[in-house]
Amino acid sequence: MTGPAISVENLRFSYGDLEAVKGIGFEVQPGEILGFLGPNGAGKSTTIKMLTGQLTPKSGVARVLGIDVSTDDPALQARIGVCFEEKNLYLNMSAKENLDFYASLFGIKDPDSIEVLRRVGLADRAKDRVKTFSKGMRQRMMISRAFINKPDVLFLDEPTDGLDPVTSASIRKTIREEAERGAAVLLTTHDMFEADELSDRVAFINEGRIVALDTAENLKLKYGTRSVKVRLRDGVGVREEVLPLDGDGSSAKLAELAASPDLMTIHTEEATLDQIFIQLTGRGLEG
Amino acid sequence: MSLSRIWKVLRKDLALGPRSSIFLWAIVLPFALTLILQVAFGSLFDPKPRLGIVDDGDSSITAAIEDMDGIELTLFDDAGELKTQVEANDLDAGLILPQGFDDEVRDGEQPTLQFFIGGESYASNRIILTVTAIDLVREIEGSDAPVTVDVVSFGEAGLPMSKRLIPVIVFYALVMAGLFVPGSNLVEEKEQGTLMSLLVTPVKSSEVLIAKWLLGVILSVVLASASLALNGAFGANWAQVLVVILVAGALSSVLGILAGVYAKDSSIMFAIVKGSGIFLFAPTLFYIFPEWPQWIAKLFPLYWIIEPIWQVSVMGEGLSTVWVELLVALGITAVLGAAAWWLAKRMQAQMAGQ
């Protein structure tokens, strides 16, 4: 496959009168992680549902691995992996039984389910029923299920939502490994830290529209302000100064502060994706 | 459509079945009903009279008893062994037929007939065995019974209640296994979101529905067959009984799929089953109360599967008697199947939209 793994042009979808996705377009290359960043109800999950064949687009064109998603072609589902936000596992089956079953649906005869479980740290619980698993373990199971067919495209809907930092870090590491293997990853999240850390590029989606799409660094450069925060001793207290780096005379002022005997610390003040999102949309990423 | 994927989903459902309380209940219910109704109306625990015979001379009495369904016959070579078993209450009675017994009776020589009765045997069994033995001796002698017995039946005429309740038991087997198991299984998959996880694999919604339908057909055929066998109604024409049960399983299971596709959650599924219960159950009442106008039963969909089962398994008729009913049942199955197919498309869009 030489072209983009995911190609979307002017995609639209409505729930009755409510237009949830309003003509979005983007591409994801093999091995690339695209972070879809937006608040709840922005259209992230609806986009994933269209790209995975669960919903039929009202208009526009979406191709995954060159296959038009509206054709309901099983060849598409055979090459994708989906991790839902909702933890939809067979609770009365063991972890291994779950993976073996899904592998069989992809036509995999001898799945190495134990190895897949080992990647997410669940190999020692392979024979335990999923209903005995904690929330974090179930989420790791969801990730492992999405990987079972070694997909060329991964759709991950809020893969670390509500998890503890250790489990989240473990899941992020596994996602990165999949991208390194060559899988294109479309990751929806409202966690700007996750998007920043994982994504090669970030798309901001708000009210069904993509309002910005670029690398996180470029977005910060384009929409953020370059500044440093300087902390100085001030008598018995501490004084803080924020110094824009792009203003006239900022270099001289920074040099002066750096030479001051009262200088305690200097920190770069980089804009966060959250701040940029607010700047672009007038609303936050949460809720 | 892939048969392989249908089989994989079906195999998963069969494997998960014993871990589901609804599945287990569906299996247990027809057997429990059989037990309860047979204890109340039937003869499940009434053993047949058990007779042992030592026949030294190929008596016609032995041959006649061998042909009787109502008596359990055991043949012995040794009179001592026969007596031991009667004394141990392993037999209700024992009969020793010496060589030339039949000839001596015919010649009017009044031979001695040794007839052992177990002291702990049921009085009813003793009477049956004694009267039967005396009647058979009279037949050898060629004489008629000294009295004419005028039999007057009390209660309703016709089949015994235990037979008339067979449609009720088979109905529960079909409804629980054929309707409720696949329907609730589908709803459970919707509620837990696992159905959506299946539909982002190469499995199509039509394949899932067919797998669930087959689950209902297999279960209902097994349980309806077992129910009929337990009630002594599987009959000699088992192949024809199997055909009518298969058609019944197909119709009841497609009803289950339709309910499962329509119901958004378990509470709606239960409401559908409870709400339609009397509508589905109604035709069985016409077998319990045969004096009711039978044409009314034909207004209910399950009549078209209960009637063939009744005619072929209980009444011993052939398929040629019920071909119209079977065709109507297959027609209803096809129409309901098409409706389920159409609703499934809507269901998928609704699930994705949630």
Short mmCIF file of all heavy atoms in Angstrom, two decimals, chain A residues 10-51:
data_model
loop_
_atom_site.label_atom_id
_atom_site.label_comp_id
_atom_site.label_asym_id
_atom_site.label_seq_id
_atom_site.Cartn_x
_atom_site.Cartn_y
_atom_site.Cartn_z
N ASN A 10 -14.56 15.65 2.86
CA ASN A 10 -15.88 16.27 2.99
C ASN A 10 -16.94 15.32 3.59
O ASN A 10 -18.07 15.23 3.13
CB ASN A 10 -16.35 16.78 1.63
CG ASN A 10 -17.45 17.83 1.78
OD1 ASN A 10 -17.52 18.50 2.82
ND2 ASN A 10 -18.29 17.97 0.78
N LEU A 11 -16.56 14.61 4.64
CA LEU A 11 -17.43 13.58 5.25
C LEU A 11 -18.49 14.24 6.15
O LEU A 11 -18.17 15.11 6.95
CB LEU A 11 -16.56 12.62 6.07
CG LEU A 11 -17.15 11.28 6.43
CD1 LEU A 11 -17.39 10.44 5.17
CD2 LEU A 11 -16.22 10.53 7.37
N ARG A 12 -19.71 13.77 5.98
CA ARG A 12 -20.81 14.34 6.77
C ARG A 12 -21.67 13.22 7.35
O ARG A 12 -21.84 12.18 6.73
CB ARG A 12 -21.72 15.22 5.89
CG ARG A 12 -21.10 16.50 5.48
CD ARG A 12 -22.00 17.29 4.53
NE ARG A 12 -21.30 18.47 4.06
CZ ARG A 12 -21.27 19.62 4.71
NH1 ARG A 12 -21.95 19.75 5.83
NH2 ARG A 12 -20.59 20.65 4.24
N PHE A 13 -22.22 13.49 8.55
CA PHE A 13 -23.20 12.55 9.13
C PHE A 13 -24.15 13.31 10.05
O PHE A 13 -23.75 14.24 10.76
CB PHE A 13 -22.50 11.44 9.95
CG PHE A 13 -23.47 10.38 10.38
CD1 PHE A 13 -23.82 9.35 9.52
CD2 PHE A 13 -24.09 10.44 11.62
CE1 PHE A 13 -24.75 8.40 9.89
CE2 PHE A 13 -25.02 9.49 12.01
CZ PHE A 13 -25.35 8.45 11.14
N SER A 14 -25.42 12.91 10.02
CA SER A 14 -26.43 13.55 10.89
C SER A 14 -27.19 12.48 11.66
O SER A 14 -27.48 11.41 11.14
CB SER A 14 -27.44 14.32 10.05
OG SER A 14 -26.79 15.26 9.25
N TYR A 15 -27.50 12.80 12.91
CA TYR A 15 -28.45 12.00 13.69
C TYR A 15 -29.78 12.74 13.64
O TYR A 15 -29.96 13.72 14.37
CB TYR A 15 -28.00 11.86 15.15
CG TYR A 15 -26.71 11.09 15.33
CD1 TYR A 15 -25.52 11.74 15.66
CD2 TYR A 15 -26.67 9.70 15.18
CE1 TYR A 15 -24.35 11.05 15.83
CE2 TYR A 15 -25.50 9.00 15.35
CZ TYR A 15 -24.34 9.67 15.68
OH TYR A 15 -23.17 8.98 15.84
N GLY A 16 -30.64 12.36 12.75
CA GLY A 16 -31.88 13.12 12.55
C GLY A 16 -31.54 14.51 12.06
O GLY A 16 -30.86 14.66 11.04
N ASP A 17 -31.99 15.52 12.80
CA ASP A 17 -31.72 16.90 12.40
C ASP A 17 -30.37 17.39 12.90
O ASP A 17 -29.91 18.47 12.51
CB ASP A 17 -32.82 17.83 12.95
CG ASP A 17 -34.16 17.53 12.30
OD1 ASP A 17 -34.15 17.00 11.17
OD2 ASP A 17 -35.21 17.80 12.93
N LEU A 18 -29.75 16.62 13.79
CA LEU A 18 -28.49 17.06 14.38
C LEU A 18 -27.32 16.64 13.50
O LEU A 18 -27.03 15.45 13.35
CB LEU A 18 -28.34 16.46 15.78
CG LEU A 18 -27.02 16.77 16.48
CD1 LEU A 18 -26.93 18.24 16.85
CD2 LEU A 18 -26.85 15.89 17.71
N GLU A 19 -26.65 17.63 12.91
CA GLU A 19 -25.48 17.31 12.08
C GLU A 19 -24.27 17.14 12.98
O GLU A 19 -23.79 18.10 13.59
CB GLU A 19 -25.25 18.40 11.04
CG GLU A 19 -24.36 17.91 9.92
CD GLU A 19 -24.21 18.91 8.79
OE1 GLU A 19 -24.58 20.09 8.96
OE2 GLU A 19 -23.71 18.51 7.73
N ALA A 20 -23.79 15.90 13.08
CA ALA A 20 -22.71 15.60 14.02
C ALA A 20 -21.34 15.78 13.39
O ALA A 20 -20.38 16.16 14.06
CB ALA A 20 -22.85 14.16 14.52
N VAL A 21 -21.23 15.49 12.10
CA VAL A 21 -19.96 15.67 11.38
C VAL A 21 -20.25 16.50 10.14
O VAL A 21 -21.11 16.18 9.34
CB VAL A 21 -19.35 14.29 11.00
CG1 VAL A 21 -18.10 14.48 10.17
CG2 VAL A 21 -19.05 13.48 12.25
N LYS A 22 -19.50 17.64 10.04
CA LYS A 22 -19.89 18.65 9.03
C LYS A 22 -18.80 18.85 7.98
O LYS A 22 -18.13 19.88 7.96
CB LYS A 22 -20.17 19.98 9.74
CG LYS A 22 -21.29 19.88 10.78
CD LYS A 22 -21.34 21.12 11.64
CE LYS A 22 -22.43 21.00 12.70
NZ LYS A 22 -22.41 22.10 13.67
N GLY A 23 -18.60 17.84 7.18
CA GLY A 23 -17.69 18.01 6.05
C GLY A 23 -16.22 18.00 6.42
O GLY A 23 -15.48 18.91 6.03
N ILE A 24 -15.78 17.01 7.15
CA ILE A 24 -14.36 16.97 7.56
C ILE A 24 -13.52 16.25 6.49
O ILE A 24 -14.05 15.48 5.68
CB ILE A 24 -14.17 16.26 8.93
CG1 ILE A 24 -14.63 14.80 8.86
CG2 ILE A 24 -14.92 16.99 10.02
CD1 ILE A 24 -14.23 14.00 10.09
N GLY A 25 -12.23 16.51 6.51
CA GLY A 25 -11.31 15.85 5.59
C GLY A 25 -9.93 15.75 6.21
O GLY A 25 -9.48 16.67 6.89
N PHE A 26 -9.29 14.62 6.04
CA PHE A 26 -7.91 14.44 6.54
C PHE A 26 -7.36 13.14 5.96
O PHE A 26 -8.10 12.35 5.36
CB PHE A 26 -7.88 14.40 8.08
CG PHE A 26 -8.68 13.27 8.69
CD1 PHE A 26 -8.08 12.03 8.93
CD2 PHE A 26 -10.02 13.43 9.01
CE1 PHE A 26 -8.83 10.99 9.48
CE2 PHE A 26 -10.76 12.40 9.56
CZ PHE A 26 -10.17 11.17 9.80
N GLU A 27 -6.06 12.94 6.16
CA GLU A 27 -5.43 11.68 5.74
C GLU A 27 -4.54 11.18 6.87
O GLU A 27 -4.03 11.97 7.66
CB GLU A 27 -4.56 11.91 4.49
CG GLU A 27 -5.37 12.10 3.23
CD GLU A 27 -4.47 12.22 2.00
OE1 GLU A 27 -3.23 12.30 2.18
OE2 GLU A 27 -5.01 12.21 0.88
N VAL A 28 -4.39 9.88 6.94
CA VAL A 28 -3.45 9.29 7.90
C VAL A 28 -2.56 8.32 7.11
O VAL A 28 -3.07 7.46 6.38
CB VAL A 28 -4.16 8.52 9.03
CG1 VAL A 28 -3.15 8.06 10.08
CG2 VAL A 28 -5.25 9.36 9.68
N GLN A 29 -1.25 8.48 7.24
CA GLN A 29 -0.31 7.63 6.51
C GLN A 29 0.00 6.36 7.31
O GLN A 29 -0.14 6.35 8.54
CB GLN A 29 1.00 8.40 6.27
CG GLN A 29 0.84 9.68 5.48
CD GLN A 29 0.25 9.46 4.09
OE1 GLN A 29 0.54 8.45 3.45
NE2 GLN A 29 -0.60 10.38 3.64
N PRO A 30 0.43 5.28 6.64
CA PRO A 30 0.84 4.08 7.39
C PRO A 30 1.94 4.43 8.39
O PRO A 30 2.86 5.19 8.07
CB PRO A 30 1.38 3.15 6.29
CG PRO A 30 0.70 3.59 5.04
CD PRO A 30 0.52 5.08 5.18
N GLY A 31 1.82 3.92 9.60
CA GLY A 31 2.82 4.17 10.64
C GLY A 31 2.62 5.48 11.37
O GLY A 31 3.38 5.81 12.29
N GLU A 32 1.61 6.25 10.98
CA GLU A 32 1.38 7.56 11.61
C GLU A 32 0.28 7.45 12.68
O GLU A 32 -0.68 6.69 12.52
CB GLU A 32 0.93 8.56 10.54
CG GLU A 32 0.72 9.97 11.12
CD GLU A 32 0.16 10.95 10.10
OE1 GLU A 32 -0.38 10.51 9.07
OE2 GLU A 32 0.25 12.16 10.37
N ILE A 33 0.45 8.20 13.74
CA ILE A 33 -0.62 8.31 14.75
C ILE A 33 -1.24 9.70 14.62
O ILE A 33 -0.54 10.70 14.80
CB ILE A 33 -0.07 8.11 16.18
CG1 ILE A 33 0.62 6.76 16.33
CG2 ILE A 33 -1.20 8.25 17.21
CD1 ILE A 33 1.25 6.51 17.70
N LEU A 34 -2.53 9.73 14.29
CA LEU A 34 -3.25 11.00 14.23
C LEU A 34 -4.14 11.10 15.45
O LEU A 34 -5.02 10.26 15.67
CB LEU A 34 -4.10 11.08 12.95
CG LEU A 34 -4.96 12.36 12.85
CD1 LEU A 34 -4.09 13.60 12.70
CD2 LEU A 34 -5.94 12.27 11.68
N GLY A 35 -3.90 12.12 16.25
CA GLY A 35 -4.73 12.34 17.43
C GLY A 35 -5.93 13.19 17.07
O GLY A 35 -5.79 14.25 16.47
N PHE A 36 -7.11 12.67 17.36
CA PHE A 36 -8.35 13.41 17.11
C PHE A 36 -8.76 14.02 18.44
O PHE A 36 -9.24 13.31 19.33
CB PHE A 36 -9.40 12.40 16.64
CG PHE A 36 -10.03 12.75 15.33
CD1 PHE A 36 -9.24 13.15 14.26
CD2 PHE A 36 -11.39 12.64 15.14
CE1 PHE A 36 -9.82 13.45 13.04
CE2 PHE A 36 -11.98 12.95 13.93
CZ PHE A 36 -11.19 13.36 12.88
N LEU A 37 -8.56 15.29 18.57
CA LEU A 37 -8.73 15.92 19.87
C LEU A 37 -9.99 16.80 19.87
O LEU A 37 -10.15 17.65 19.00
CB LEU A 37 -7.49 16.79 20.12
CG LEU A 37 -7.10 17.11 21.53
CD1 LEU A 37 -6.85 15.86 22.33
CD2 LEU A 37 -5.81 17.95 21.52
N GLY A 38 -10.83 16.56 20.83
CA GLY A 38 -12.04 17.38 20.91
C GLY A 38 -12.85 17.00 22.13
O GLY A 38 -12.67 15.91 22.68
N PRO A 39 -13.77 17.87 22.54
CA PRO A 39 -14.60 17.56 23.71
C PRO A 39 -15.64 16.50 23.37
O PRO A 39 -15.82 16.16 22.19
CB PRO A 39 -15.26 18.90 24.04
CG PRO A 39 -15.30 19.62 22.75
CD PRO A 39 -14.11 19.18 21.96
N ASN A 40 -16.32 16.02 24.38
CA ASN A 40 -17.41 15.06 24.14
C ASN A 40 -18.44 15.69 23.22
O ASN A 40 -18.78 16.86 23.37
CB ASN A 40 -18.08 14.66 25.46
CG ASN A 40 -17.16 13.85 26.33
OD1 ASN A 40 -16.26 13.16 25.83
ND2 ASN A 40 -17.36 13.92 27.64
N GLY A 41 -18.94 14.90 22.25
CA GLY A 41 -19.97 15.41 21.34
C GLY A 41 -19.41 16.20 20.18
O GLY A 41 -20.17 16.76 19.39
N ALA A 42 -18.08 16.22 20.03
CA ALA A 42 -17.49 17.01 18.96
C ALA A 42 -17.60 16.32 17.60
O ALA A 42 -17.48 16.96 16.56
CB ALA A 42 -16.02 17.30 19.27
N GLY A 43 -17.81 14.99 17.62
CA GLY A 43 -17.90 14.24 16.36
C GLY A 43 -16.80 13.21 16.18
O GLY A 43 -16.70 12.58 15.13
N LYS A 44 -15.98 13.03 17.23
CA LYS A 44 -14.84 12.09 17.13
C LYS A 44 -15.33 10.65 16.93
O LYS A 44 -14.92 9.96 15.99
CB LYS A 44 -13.97 12.13 18.41
CG LYS A 44 -13.49 13.50 18.82
CD LYS A 44 -12.53 13.40 19.99
CE LYS A 44 -13.11 12.78 21.25
NZ LYS A 44 -14.00 13.66 22.01
N SER A 45 -16.19 10.19 17.86
CA SER A 45 -16.65 8.80 17.81
C SER A 45 -17.49 8.54 16.57
O SER A 45 -17.41 7.46 15.96
CB SER A 45 -17.46 8.46 19.06
OG SER A 45 -16.62 8.56 20.19
N THR A 46 -18.30 9.54 16.17
CA THR A 46 -19.11 9.37 14.96
C THR A 46 -18.21 9.15 13.75
O THR A 46 -18.49 8.32 12.88
CB THR A 46 -20.01 10.61 14.76
OG1 THR A 46 -20.83 10.76 15.91
CG2 THR A 46 -20.89 10.46 13.53
N THR A 47 -17.10 9.91 13.70
CA THR A 47 -16.16 9.74 12.59
C THR A 47 -15.59 8.33 12.57
O THR A 47 -15.54 7.67 11.52
CB THR A 47 -15.02 10.78 12.71
OG1 THR A 47 -15.59 12.08 12.75
CG2 THR A 47 -14.06 10.68 11.54
N ILE A 48 -15.19 7.85 13.74
CA ILE A 48 -14.65 6.48 13.82
C ILE A 48 -15.71 5.46 13.40
O ILE A 48 -15.40 4.50 12.69
CB ILE A 48 -14.15 6.17 15.26
CG1 ILE A 48 -12.78 6.79 15.45
CG2 ILE A 48 -14.09 4.67 15.52
CD1 ILE A 48 -11.97 6.24 16.59
N LYS A 49 -16.95 5.67 13.83
CA LYS A 49 -18.01 4.72 13.47
C LYS A 49 -18.23 4.68 11.96
O LYS A 49 -18.53 3.64 11.40
CB LYS A 49 -19.30 5.08 14.21
CG LYS A 49 -19.26 4.66 15.68
CD LYS A 49 -20.45 5.16 16.46
CE LYS A 49 -20.36 4.71 17.91
NZ LYS A 49 -21.42 5.31 18.73
N MET A 50 -18.08 5.83 11.31
CA MET A 50 -18.22 5.83 9.85
C MET A 50 -17.03 5.11 9.21
O MET A 50 -17.19 4.33 8.27
CB MET A 50 -18.31 7.27 9.33
CG MET A 50 -19.66 7.91 9.55
SD MET A 50 -19.82 9.46 8.66
CE MET A 50 -18.96 10.57 9.75
N LEU A 51 -15.86 5.35 9.73
CA LEU A 51 -14.66 4.76 9.12
C LEU A 51 -14.56 3.25 9.35
O LEU A 51 -13.88 2.55 8.61
CB LEU A 51 -13.39 5.45 9.66
CG LEU A 51 -13.26 6.93 9.31
CD1 LEU A 51 -11.99 7.51 9.92
CD2 LEU A 51 -13.24 7.12 7.80
#
